[in-house]
Amino acid sequence: NAGVTQTPKFQVLKTGQSMTLQCAQDMNHNSMYWYRQDPGMGLRLIYYSASEGTTDKGEVPNGYNVSRLNKREFSLRLESAAPSQTSVYFCASSIGRGTGELFFGEGSRLTVL
Amino acid sequence: GQQLNQSPQSMFIQEGEDVSMNCTSSSIFNTWLWYKQDPGEGPVLLIALYKAGELTSNGRLTAQFGITRKDSFLNISASIPSDVGIYFCAGQKGGGSNYKLTFGKGTLLTVNP
């Protein structure tokens, strides 16, 4: 049971570099989400996709872009990484947008130097 | 944005003790959820509450949806070392575009064997 799979698990970038975090779910869920977790800040929503073909901004979208490639995959791109984007990133999915019952991946730890 | 005030921020207890934590808001939520995050992992849903006044148990965990719909409580009875982790509350207003979750900042629980 893979659930939600994120890659890579760890990444170190230099300021200004770009990268894409990949996320895939095998639960046939319609909705997918990207969160970031910082010490003392809880989980903050970056972007979400209520269904295939749609994406919307969350609480902290600046500096990020997303692509809902198909029903299974939702990627997060940092075009020009900044030290403030050092964080742990979590992808999550839910059966639909109306439920708060999210399934999370194991996280991707990103450090920007 | 919306805020959930989760307390306490951290707890250090002895194995076998009971634990209580809570989450409050100035806004009404239609769904309350509690998640647990083990070290190095993504959050996992523990309990979901859908009705004001609802009391739901999951093993040694009991959660309540406050009657005012502005708060929720989580109790853990007879704690064991594997209860260690961060506990997050989350609220969902529901309806229209209000289906995104708002997370509390978490309660870090440490259990001393």
Side-chain angles (χ1 to χ4, degrees), chain B residues 26-74:
Chain B
S26 58
S27 301
I28 289 174
F29 288 93
N30 290 317
T31 301
W32 283 94
L33 307 106
W34 287 90
Y35 286 83
K36 183 196 177 194
Q37 183 179 26
D38 289 332
E41 303 287 332
V44 173
L45 180 66
L46 297 174
I47 293 177
L49 303 157
Y50 297 102
K51 188 176 177 181
E54 179 181 354
L55 187 70
T56 297
S57 293
N58 178 4
R60 293 178 295 105
L61 277 62
T62 301
Q64 184 162 23
F65 190 142
I67 197 72
T68 65
R69 294 196 285 161
K70 293 183 178 181
D71 54 13
S72 181
F73 307 87
L74 177 70

mmCIF file of all heavy atoms in Angstrom, chain B residues 26-74:
data_model
loop_
_atom_site.group_PDB
_atom_site.id
_atom_site.type_symbol
_atom_site.label_atom_id
_atom_site.label_comp_id
_atom_site.label_asym_id
_atom_site.label_seq_id
_atom_site.Cartn_x
_atom_site.Cartn_y
_atom_site.Cartn_z
ATOM 1 N N SER B 26 -11.851 31.549 17.125
ATOM 2 C CA SER B 26 -12.860 32.597 17.209
ATOM 3 C C SER B 26 -13.953 32.369 16.165
ATOM 4 O O SER B 26 -14.971 33.058 16.175
ATOM 5 C CB SER B 26 -12.220 33.975 17.004
ATOM 6 O OG SER B 26 -11.564 34.028 15.746
ATOM 7 N N SER B 27 -13.725 31.420 15.265
ATOM 8 C CA SER B 27 -14.684 31.119 14.199
ATOM 9 C C SER B 27 -15.323 29.754 14.423
ATOM 10 O O SER B 27 -14.767 28.897 15.088
ATOM 11 C CB SER B 27 -13.981 31.110 12.835
ATOM 12 O OG SER B 27 -13.382 32.343 12.565
ATOM 13 N N ILE B 28 -16.472 29.576 13.806
ATOM 14 C CA ILE B 28 -17.178 28.303 13.866
ATOM 15 C C ILE B 28 -16.647 27.373 12.788
ATOM 16 O O ILE B 28 -16.436 27.792 11.647
ATOM 17 C CB ILE B 28 -18.692 28.533 13.679
ATOM 18 C CG1 ILE B 28 -19.271 29.202 14.920
ATOM 19 C CG2 ILE B 28 -19.410 27.223 13.382
ATOM 20 C CD1 ILE B 28 -20.729 29.613 14.778
ATOM 21 N N PHE B 29 -16.432 26.124 13.140
ATOM 22 C CA PHE B 29 -16.063 25.104 12.174
ATOM 23 C C PHE B 29 -17.118 24.004 12.157
ATOM 24 O O PHE B 29 -17.715 23.692 13.181
ATOM 25 C CB PHE B 29 -14.692 24.513 12.510
ATOM 26 C CG PHE B 29 -13.561 25.467 12.223
ATOM 27 C CD1 PHE B 29 -13.064 26.299 13.211
ATOM 28 C CD2 PHE B 29 -13.008 25.538 10.956
ATOM 29 C CE1 PHE B 29 -12.028 27.180 12.945
ATOM 30 C CE2 PHE B 29 -11.969 26.416 10.675
ATOM 31 C CZ PHE B 29 -11.487 27.238 11.679
ATOM 32 N N ASN B 30 -17.331 23.407 11.015
ATOM 33 C CA ASN B 30 -18.323 22.343 10.878
ATOM 34 C C ASN B 30 -17.722 20.951 11.015
ATOM 35 O O ASN B 30 -18.453 19.972 11.157
ATOM 36 C CB ASN B 30 -19.039 22.462 9.533
ATOM 37 C CG ASN B 30 -19.942 23.677 9.488
ATOM 38 O OD1 ASN B 30 -20.652 23.966 10.457
ATOM 39 N ND2 ASN B 30 -19.904 24.406 8.399
ATOM 40 N N THR B 31 -16.415 20.879 10.915
ATOM 41 C CA THR B 31 -15.705 19.610 11.105
ATOM 42 C C THR B 31 -14.434 19.897 11.895
ATOM 43 O O THR B 31 -13.749 20.878 11.612
ATOM 44 C CB THR B 31 -15.323 18.970 9.747
ATOM 45 O OG1 THR B 31 -16.495 18.744 8.972
ATOM 46 C CG2 THR B 31 -14.593 17.643 9.955
ATOM 47 N N TRP B 32 -14.168 19.021 12.853
ATOM 48 C CA TRP B 32 -12.904 19.090 13.581
ATOM 49 C C TRP B 32 -12.177 17.765 13.390
ATOM 50 O O TRP B 32 -12.805 16.700 13.390
ATOM 51 C CB TRP B 32 -13.127 19.318 15.074
ATOM 52 C CG TRP B 32 -13.484 20.729 15.426
ATOM 53 C CD1 TRP B 32 -14.744 21.247 15.573
ATOM 54 C CD2 TRP B 32 -12.592 21.807 15.702
ATOM 55 N NE1 TRP B 32 -14.678 22.575 15.918
ATOM 56 C CE2 TRP B 32 -13.365 22.952 16.002
ATOM 57 C CE3 TRP B 32 -11.189 21.926 15.724
ATOM 58 C CZ2 TRP B 32 -12.805 24.182 16.317
ATOM 59 C CZ3 TRP B 32 -10.632 23.147 16.035
ATOM 60 C CH2 TRP B 32 -11.426 24.263 16.327
ATOM 61 N N LEU B 33 -10.859 17.833 13.216
ATOM 62 C CA LEU B 33 -10.070 16.620 13.022
ATOM 63 C C LEU B 33 -8.822 16.687 13.887
ATOM 64 O O LEU B 33 -8.307 17.779 14.168
ATOM 65 C CB LEU B 33 -9.666 16.458 11.550
ATOM 66 C CG LEU B 33 -10.820 16.519 10.551
ATOM 67 C CD1 LEU B 33 -10.796 17.846 9.798
ATOM 68 C CD2 LEU B 33 -10.759 15.377 9.573
ATOM 69 N N TRP B 34 -8.347 15.525 14.277
ATOM 70 C CA TRP B 34 -7.090 15.421 15.012
ATOM 71 C C TRP B 34 -6.148 14.492 14.262
ATOM 72 O O TRP B 34 -6.518 13.375 13.882
ATOM 73 C CB TRP B 34 -7.333 14.887 16.424
ATOM 74 C CG TRP B 34 -7.974 15.909 17.310
ATOM 75 C CD1 TRP B 34 -9.306 16.120 17.504
ATOM 76 C CD2 TRP B 34 -7.295 16.897 18.103
ATOM 77 N NE1 TRP B 34 -9.501 17.180 18.374
ATOM 78 C CE2 TRP B 34 -8.282 17.662 18.751
ATOM 79 C CE3 TRP B 34 -5.948 17.208 18.333
ATOM 80 C CZ2 TRP B 34 -7.966 18.714 19.615
ATOM 81 C CZ3 TRP B 34 -5.639 18.244 19.189
ATOM 82 C CH2 TRP B 34 -6.641 18.983 19.818
ATOM 83 N N TYR B 35 -4.916 14.999 14.047
ATOM 84 C CA TYR B 35 -3.871 14.250 13.368
ATOM 85 C C TYR B 35 -2.690 14.049 14.310
ATOM 86 O O TYR B 35 -2.446 14.861 15.189
ATOM 87 C CB TYR B 35 -3.364 15.018 12.135
ATOM 88 C CG TYR B 35 -4.301 15.033 10.955
ATOM 89 C CD1 TYR B 35 -5.348 15.948 10.875
ATOM 90 C CD2 TYR B 35 -4.134 14.139 9.901
ATOM 91 C CE1 TYR B 35 -6.205 15.970 9.790
ATOM 92 C CE2 TYR B 35 -4.977 14.150 8.804
ATOM 93 C CZ TYR B 35 -6.006 15.068 8.758
ATOM 94 O OH TYR B 35 -6.847 15.075 7.673
ATOM 95 N N LYS B 36 -1.946 12.966 14.070
ATOM 96 C CA LYS B 36 -0.701 12.741 14.804
ATOM 97 C C LYS B 36 0.445 12.587 13.818
ATOM 98 O O LYS B 36 0.296 11.910 12.783
ATOM 99 C CB LYS B 36 -0.780 11.472 15.660
ATOM 100 C CG LYS B 36 0.485 11.255 16.487
ATOM 101 C CD LYS B 36 0.587 9.847 17.012
ATOM 102 C CE LYS B 36 1.910 9.661 17.760
ATOM 103 N NZ LYS B 36 2.221 8.248 18.022
ATOM 104 N N GLN B 37 1.561 13.223 14.154
ATOM 105 C CA GLN B 37 2.756 13.119 13.326
ATOM 106 C C GLN B 37 3.871 12.458 14.129
ATOM 107 O O GLN B 37 4.356 13.029 15.118
ATOM 108 C CB GLN B 37 3.201 14.504 12.838
ATOM 109 C CG GLN B 37 4.394 14.470 11.910
ATOM 110 C CD GLN B 37 4.789 15.848 11.435
ATOM 111 O OE1 GLN B 37 4.544 16.853 12.094
ATOM 112 N NE2 GLN B 37 5.417 15.915 10.268
ATOM 113 N N ASP B 38 4.262 11.277 13.719
ATOM 114 C CA ASP B 38 5.419 10.620 14.316
ATOM 115 C C ASP B 38 6.691 11.283 13.796
ATOM 116 O O ASP B 38 6.696 11.833 12.687
ATOM 117 C CB ASP B 38 5.445 9.131 13.965
ATOM 118 C CG ASP B 38 4.368 8.352 14.682
ATOM 119 O OD1 ASP B 38 3.974 8.776 15.792
ATOM 120 O OD2 ASP B 38 3.918 7.329 14.149
ATOM 121 N N PRO B 39 7.758 11.230 14.568
ATOM 122 C CA PRO B 39 9.021 11.855 14.120
ATOM 123 C C PRO B 39 9.440 11.357 12.740
ATOM 124 O O PRO B 39 9.498 10.157 12.487
ATOM 125 C CB PRO B 39 10.010 11.426 15.210
ATOM 126 C CG PRO B 39 9.168 11.220 16.430
ATOM 127 C CD PRO B 39 7.868 10.672 15.928
ATOM 128 N N GLY B 40 9.712 12.298 11.824
ATOM 129 C CA GLY B 40 10.183 11.938 10.493
ATOM 130 C C GLY B 40 9.114 11.426 9.546
ATOM 131 O O GLY B 40 9.436 10.960 8.446
ATOM 132 N N GLU B 41 7.856 11.508 9.945
ATOM 133 C CA GLU B 41 6.767 10.997 9.109
ATOM 134 C C GLU B 41 5.771 12.102 8.801
ATOM 135 O O GLU B 41 5.850 13.210 9.339
ATOM 136 C CB GLU B 41 6.050 9.850 9.842
ATOM 137 C CG GLU B 41 6.943 8.692 10.242
ATOM 138 C CD GLU B 41 7.359 7.859 9.054
ATOM 139 O OE1 GLU B 41 6.601 7.808 8.062
ATOM 140 O OE2 GLU B 41 8.469 7.277 9.103
ATOM 141 N N GLY B 42 4.826 11.778 7.931
ATOM 142 C CA GLY B 42 3.734 12.701 7.681
ATOM 143 C C GLY B 42 2.615 12.501 8.683
ATOM 144 O O GLY B 42 2.512 11.452 9.317
ATOM 145 N N PRO B 43 1.744 13.511 8.856
ATOM 146 C CA PRO B 43 0.614 13.375 9.783
ATOM 147 C C PRO B 43 -0.334 12.262 9.356
ATOM 148 O O PRO B 43 -0.506 11.995 8.170
ATOM 149 C CB PRO B 43 -0.069 14.741 9.701
ATOM 150 C CG PRO B 43 0.987 15.680 9.216
ATOM 151 C CD PRO B 43 1.820 14.860 8.271
ATOM 152 N N VAL B 44 -0.949 11.637 10.367
ATOM 153 C CA VAL B 44 -1.922 10.576 10.136
ATOM 154 C C VAL B 44 -3.194 10.945 10.887
ATOM 155 O O VAL B 44 -3.140 11.362 12.042
ATOM 156 C CB VAL B 44 -1.376 9.219 10.628
ATOM 157 C CG1 VAL B 44 -2.454 8.150 10.539
ATOM 158 C CG2 VAL B 44 -0.151 8.806 9.825
ATOM 159 N N LEU B 45 -4.321 10.782 10.231
ATOM 160 C CA LEU B 45 -5.599 11.107 10.855
ATOM 161 C C LEU B 45 -5.903 10.148 12.001
ATOM 162 O O LEU B 45 -5.821 8.935 11.854
ATOM 163 C CB LEU B 45 -6.721 11.036 9.826
ATOM 164 C CG LEU B 45 -8.122 11.355 10.338
ATOM 165 C CD1 LEU B 45 -8.227 12.817 10.771
ATOM 166 C CD2 LEU B 45 -9.166 11.036 9.270
ATOM 167 N N LEU B 46 -6.263 10.741 13.160
ATOM 168 C CA LEU B 46 -6.650 9.941 14.326
ATOM 169 C C LEU B 46 -8.164 9.861 14.455
ATOM 170 O O LEU B 46 -8.742 8.787 14.600
ATOM 171 C CB LEU B 46 -6.075 10.566 15.605
ATOM 172 C CG LEU B 46 -4.556 10.627 15.737
ATOM 173 C CD1 LEU B 46 -4.188 11.418 16.987
ATOM 174 C CD2 LEU B 46 -3.969 9.237 15.767
ATOM 175 N N ILE B 47 -8.790 11.026 14.475
ATOM 176 C CA ILE B 47 -10.229 11.107 14.729
ATOM 177 C C ILE B 47 -10.801 12.273 13.930
ATOM 178 O O ILE B 47 -10.187 13.325 13.859
ATOM 179 C CB ILE B 47 -10.525 11.312 16.230
ATOM 180 C CG1 ILE B 47 -10.113 10.066 17.045
ATOM 181 C CG2 ILE B 47 -12.003 11.616 16.457
ATOM 182 C CD1 ILE B 47 -10.315 10.232 18.544
ATOM 183 N N ALA B 48 -11.993 12.075 13.375
ATOM 184 C CA ALA B 48 -12.733 13.137 12.696
ATOM 185 C C ALA B 48 -14.076 13.297 13.399
ATOM 186 O O ALA B 48 -14.732 12.315 13.743
ATOM 187 C CB ALA B 48 -12.928 12.794 11.224
ATOM 188 N N LEU B 49 -14.481 14.543 13.606
ATOM 189 C CA LEU B 49 -15.723 14.865 14.313
ATOM 190 C C LEU B 49 -16.583 15.740 13.412
ATOM 191 O O LEU B 49 -16.103 16.742 12.865
ATOM 192 C CB LEU B 49 -15.409 15.625 15.608
ATOM 193 C CG LEU B 49 -14.484 14.897 16.576
ATOM 194 C CD1 LEU B 49 -13.789 15.880 17.500
ATOM 195 C CD2 LEU B 49 -15.284 13.896 17.407
ATOM 196 N N TYR B 50 -17.862 15.394 13.285
ATOM 197 C CA TYR B 50 -18.706 16.055 12.294
ATOM 198 C C TYR B 50 -19.927 16.755 12.877
ATOM 199 O O TYR B 50 -20.681 17.404 12.139
ATOM 200 C CB TYR B 50 -19.173 15.041 11.254
ATOM 201 C CG TYR B 50 -18.024 14.436 10.475
ATOM 202 C CD1 TYR B 50 -17.553 13.163 10.771
ATOM 203 C CD2 TYR B 50 -17.399 15.159 9.474
ATOM 204 C CE1 TYR B 50 -16.486 12.621 10.070
ATOM 205 C CE2 TYR B 50 -16.338 14.629 8.766
ATOM 206 C CZ TYR B 50 -15.882 13.360 9.067
ATOM 207 O OH TYR B 50 -14.828 12.823 8.379
ATOM 208 N N LYS B 51 -20.138 16.625 14.192
ATOM 209 C CA LYS B 51 -21.359 17.166 14.763
ATOM 210 C C LYS B 51 -21.056 17.790 16.117
ATOM 211 O O LYS B 51 -20.353 17.211 16.943
ATOM 212 C CB LYS B 51 -22.361 16.016 14.933
ATOM 213 C CG LYS B 51 -23.748 16.415 15.338
ATOM 214 C CD LYS B 51 -24.641 15.179 15.374
ATOM 215 C CE LYS B 51 -26.036 15.516 15.848
ATOM 216 N NZ LYS B 51 -26.895 14.310 15.898
ATOM 217 N N ALA B 52 -21.600 18.997 16.349
ATOM 218 C CA ALA B 52 -21.390 19.676 17.620
ATOM 219 C C ALA B 52 -21.824 18.778 18.770
ATOM 220 O O ALA B 52 -22.905 18.185 18.742
ATOM 221 C CB ALA B 52 -22.166 20.987 17.643
ATOM 222 N N GLY B 53 -20.954 18.690 19.790
ATOM 223 C CA GLY B 53 -21.237 17.851 20.933
ATOM 224 C C GLY B 53 -20.788 16.411 20.782
ATOM 225 O O GLY B 53 -20.780 15.653 21.757
ATOM 226 N N GLU B 54 -20.389 16.034 19.598
ATOM 227 C CA GLU B 54 -20.004 14.642 19.329
ATOM 228 C C GLU B 54 -18.775 14.252 20.148
ATOM 229 O O GLU B 54 -17.841 15.020 20.278
ATOM 230 C CB GLU B 54 -19.711 14.483 17.838
ATOM 231 C CG GLU B 54 -19.281 13.095 17.399
ATOM 232 C CD GLU B 54 -18.991 13.031 15.899
ATOM 233 O OE1 GLU B 54 -19.234 14.031 15.195
ATOM 234 O OE2 GLU B 54 -18.509 11.981 15.452
ATOM 235 N N LEU B 55 -18.826 13.046 20.693
ATOM 236 C CA LEU B 55 -17.718 12.470 21.445
ATOM 237 C C LEU B 55 -17.351 11.165 20.757
ATOM 238 O O LEU B 55 -18.196 10.278 20.624
ATOM 239 C CB LEU B 55 -18.139 12.215 22.891
ATOM 240 C CG LEU B 55 -17.056 11.761 23.885
ATOM 241 C CD1 LEU B 55 -16.105 12.915 24.166
ATOM 242 C CD2 LEU B 55 -17.709 11.281 25.168
ATOM 243 N N THR B 56 -16.107 11.048 20.303
ATOM 244 C CA THR B 56 -15.698 9.877 19.535
ATOM 245 C C THR B 56 -14.414 9.302 20.110
ATOM 246 O O THR B 56 -13.500 10.044 20.459
ATOM 247 C CB THR B 56 -15.485 10.255 18.057
ATOM 248 O OG1 THR B 56 -16.727 10.691 17.514
ATOM 249 C CG2 THR B 56 -14.987 9.068 17.239
ATOM 250 N N SER B 57 -14.350 7.981 20.178
ATOM 251 C CA SER B 57 -13.157 7.309 20.694
ATOM 252 C C SER B 57 -12.491 6.471 19.624
ATOM 253 O O SER B 57 -13.149 5.951 18.724
ATOM 254 C CB SER B 57 -13.525 6.418 21.885
ATOM 255 O OG SER B 57 -13.937 7.202 22.973
ATOM 256 N N ASN B 58 -11.189 6.358 19.754
ATOM 257 C CA ASN B 58 -10.384 5.493 18.891
ATOM 258 C C ASN B 58 -9.334 4.864 19.789
ATOM 259 O O ASN B 58 -8.268 5.428 20.023
ATOM 260 C CB ASN B 58 -9.738 6.315 17.778
ATOM 261 C CG ASN B 58 -8.849 5.476 16.876
ATOM 262 O OD1 ASN B 58 -8.769 4.258 17.021
ATOM 263 N ND2 ASN B 58 -8.179 6.120 15.947
ATOM 264 N N GLY B 59 -9.653 3.701 20.347
ATOM 265 C CA GLY B 59 -8.756 3.074 21.311
ATOM 266 C C GLY B 59 -8.647 3.909 22.571
ATOM 267 O O GLY B 59 -9.651 4.243 23.199
ATOM 268 N N ARG B 60 -7.420 4.285 22.912
ATOM 269 C CA ARG B 60 -7.207 5.086 24.126
ATOM 270 C C ARG B 60 -7.426 6.580 23.880
ATOM 271 O O ARG B 60 -7.267 7.388 24.788
ATOM 272 C CB ARG B 60 -5.784 4.866 24.636
ATOM 273 C CG ARG B 60 -5.517 3.446 25.147
ATOM 274 C CD ARG B 60 -4.057 3.269 25.588
ATOM 275 N NE ARG B 60 -3.140 3.396 24.464
ATOM 276 C CZ ARG B 60 -2.387 4.461 24.246
ATOM 277 N NH1 ARG B 60 -2.409 5.492 25.088
ATOM 278 N NH2 ARG B 60 -1.576 4.497 23.205
ATOM 279 N N LEU B 61 -7.766 6.943 22.672
ATOM 280 C CA LEU B 61 -7.977 8.349 22.320
ATOM 281 C C LEU B 61 -9.470 8.671 22.327
ATOM 282 O O LEU B 61 -10.283 7.882 21.819
ATOM 283 C CB LEU B 61 -7.422 8.637 20.929
ATOM 284 C CG LEU B 61 -5.931 8.926 20.791
ATOM 285 C CD1 LEU B 61 -5.082 7.762 21.218
ATOM 286 C CD2 LEU B 61 -5.604 9.321 19.362
ATOM 287 N N THR B 62 -9.797 9.822 22.882
ATOM 288 C CA THR B 62 -11.170 10.318 22.865
ATOM 289 C C THR B 62 -11.129 11.780 22.465
ATOM 290 O O THR B 62 -10.334 12.550 23.006
ATOM 291 C CB THR B 62 -11.836 10.184 24.235
ATOM 292 O OG1 THR B 62 -11.836 8.809 24.632
ATOM 293 C CG2 THR B 62 -13.277 10.681 24.181
ATOM 294 N N ALA B 63 -11.967 12.161 21.523
ATOM 295 C CA ALA B 63 -12.028 13.554 21.082
ATOM 296 C C ALA B 63 -13.463 14.042 21.146
ATOM 297 O O ALA B 63 -14.414 13.266 20.988
ATOM 298 C CB ALA B 63 -11.477 13.690 19.662
ATOM 299 N N GLN B 64 -13.604 15.337 21.385
ATOM 300 C CA GLN B 64 -14.931 15.933 21.446
ATOM 301 C C GLN B 64 -15.009 17.170 20.581
ATOM 302 O O GLN B 64 -14.067 17.962 20.509
ATOM 303 C CB GLN B 64 -15.304 16.287 22.880
ATOM 304 C CG GLN B 64 -16.731 16.823 23.010
ATOM 305 C CD GLN B 64 -17.264 16.781 24.417
ATOM 306 O OE1 GLN B 64 -16.500 16.768 25.381
ATOM 307 N NE2 GLN B 64 -18.580 16.751 24.543
ATOM 308 N N PHE B 65 -16.137 17.336 19.931
ATOM 309 C CA PHE B 65 -16.473 18.504 19.125
ATOM 310 C C PHE B 65 -17.231 19.431 20.061
ATOM 311 O O PHE B 65 -18.322 19.113 20.511
ATOM 312 C CB PHE B 65 -17.357 18.035 17.972
ATOM 313 C CG PHE B 65 -17.614 19.042 16.893
ATOM 314 C CD1 PHE B 65 -17.666 18.620 15.577
ATOM 315 C CD2 PHE B 65 -17.860 20.370 17.166
ATOM 316 C CE1 PHE B 65 -17.936 19.518 14.539
ATOM 317 C CE2 PHE B 65 -18.123 21.274 16.162
ATOM 318 C CZ PHE B 65 -18.171 20.844 14.840
ATOM 319 N N GLY B 66 -16.670 20.602 20.356
ATOM 320 C CA GLY B 66 -17.284 21.501 21.305
ATOM 321 C C GLY B 66 -18.676 21.946 20.886
ATOM 322 O O GLY B 66 -18.944 22.128 19.693
ATOM 323 N N ILE B 67 -19.521 22.154 21.865
ATOM 324 C CA ILE B 67 -20.917 22.486 21.606
ATOM 325 C C ILE B 67 -21.063 23.837 20.905
ATOM 326 O O ILE B 67 -22.020 24.059 20.157
ATOM 327 C CB ILE B 67 -21.739 22.444 22.916
ATOM 328 C CG1 ILE B 67 -23.228 22.362 22.611
ATOM 329 C CG2 ILE B 67 -21.398 23.616 23.798
ATOM 330 C CD1 ILE B 67 -23.671 21.039 22.087
ATOM 331 N N THR B 68 -20.115 24.734 21.104
ATOM 332 C CA THR B 68 -20.168 26.044 20.440
ATOM 333 C C THR B 68 -19.644 25.968 19.014
ATOM 334 O O THR B 68 -19.739 26.936 18.257
ATOM 335 C CB THR B 68 -19.330 27.080 21.193
ATOM 336 O OG1 THR B 68 -17.946 26.696 21.137
ATOM 337 C CG2 THR B 68 -19.770 27.203 22.638
ATOM 338 N N ARG B 69 -19.054 24.851 18.647
ATOM 339 C CA ARG B 69 -18.388 24.601 17.352
ATOM 340 C C ARG B 69 -17.122 25.431 17.175
ATOM 341 O O ARG B 69 -16.559 25.491 16.080
ATOM 342 C CB ARG B 69 -19.346 24.839 16.174
ATOM 343 C CG ARG B 69 -20.499 23.845 16.138
ATOM 344 C CD ARG B 69 -21.186 23.836 14.809
ATOM 345 N NE ARG B 69 -22.027 25.011 14.621
ATOM 346 C CZ ARG B 69 -22.445 25.446 13.441
ATOM 347 N NH1 ARG B 69 -22.077 24.845 12.334
ATOM 348 N NH2 ARG B 69 -23.218 26.505 13.366
ATOM 349 N N LYS B 70 -16.646 26.030 18.275
ATOM 350 C CA LYS B 70 -15.427 26.828 18.200
ATOM 351 C C LYS B 70 -14.253 26.145 18.894
ATOM 352 O O LYS B 70 -13.187 26.742 19.029
ATOM 353 C CB LYS B 70 -15.663 28.199 18.835
ATOM 354 C CG LYS B 70 -16.639 29.066 18.063
ATOM 355 C CD LYS B 70 -16.773 30.435 18.715
ATOM 356 C CE LYS B 70 -17.722 31.327 17.925
ATOM 357 N NZ LYS B 70 -17.836 32.677 18.546
ATOM 358 N N ASP B 71 -14.453 24.937 19.374
ATOM 359 C CA ASP B 71 -13.349 24.256 20.030
ATOM 360 C C ASP B 71 -13.476 22.737 19.943
ATOM 361 O O ASP B 71 -14.533 22.200 19.610
ATOM 362 C CB ASP B 71 -13.210 24.697 21.489
ATOM 363 C CG ASP B 71 -14.503 24.537 22.276
ATOM 364 O OD1 ASP B 71 -15.440 23.869 21.789
ATOM 365 O OD2 ASP B 71 -14.577 25.090 23.392
ATOM 366 N N SER B 72 -12.355 22.092 20.233
ATOM 367 C CA SER B 72 -12.316 20.634 20.243
ATOM 368 C C SER B 72 -11.251 20.189 21.239
ATOM 369 O O SER B 72 -10.307 20.940 21.525
ATOM 370 C CB SER B 72 -11.991 20.092 18.841
ATOM 371 O OG SER B 72 -11.973 18.679 18.841
ATOM 372 N N PHE B 73 -11.427 18.978 21.764
ATOM 373 C CA PHE B 73 -10.545 18.463 22.788
ATOM 374 C C PHE B 73 -10.105 17.045 22.422
ATOM 375 O O PHE B 73 -10.867 16.283 21.830
ATOM 376 C CB PHE B 73 -11.264 18.424 24.140
ATOM 377 C CG PHE B 73 -11.881 19.733 24.529
ATOM 378 C CD1 PHE B 73 -13.171 20.059 24.108
ATOM 379 C CD2 PHE B 73 -11.183 20.658 25.280
ATOM 380 C CE1 PHE B 73 -13.743 21.282 24.430
ATOM 381 C CE2 PHE B 73 -11.750 21.875 25.612
ATOM 382 C CZ PHE B 73 -13.029 22.190 25.190
ATOM 383 N N LEU B 74 -8.879 16.716 22.791
ATOM 384 C CA LEU B 74 -8.366 15.364 22.595
ATOM 385 C C LEU B 74 -7.788 14.869 23.914
ATOM 386 O O LEU B 74 -6.990 15.568 24.543
ATOM 387 C CB LEU B 74 -7.285 15.329 21.514
ATOM 388 C CG LEU B 74 -6.624 13.964 21.280
ATOM 389 C CD1 LEU B 74 -7.614 13.001 20.634
ATOM 390 C CD2 LEU B 74 -5.378 14.102 20.410
#
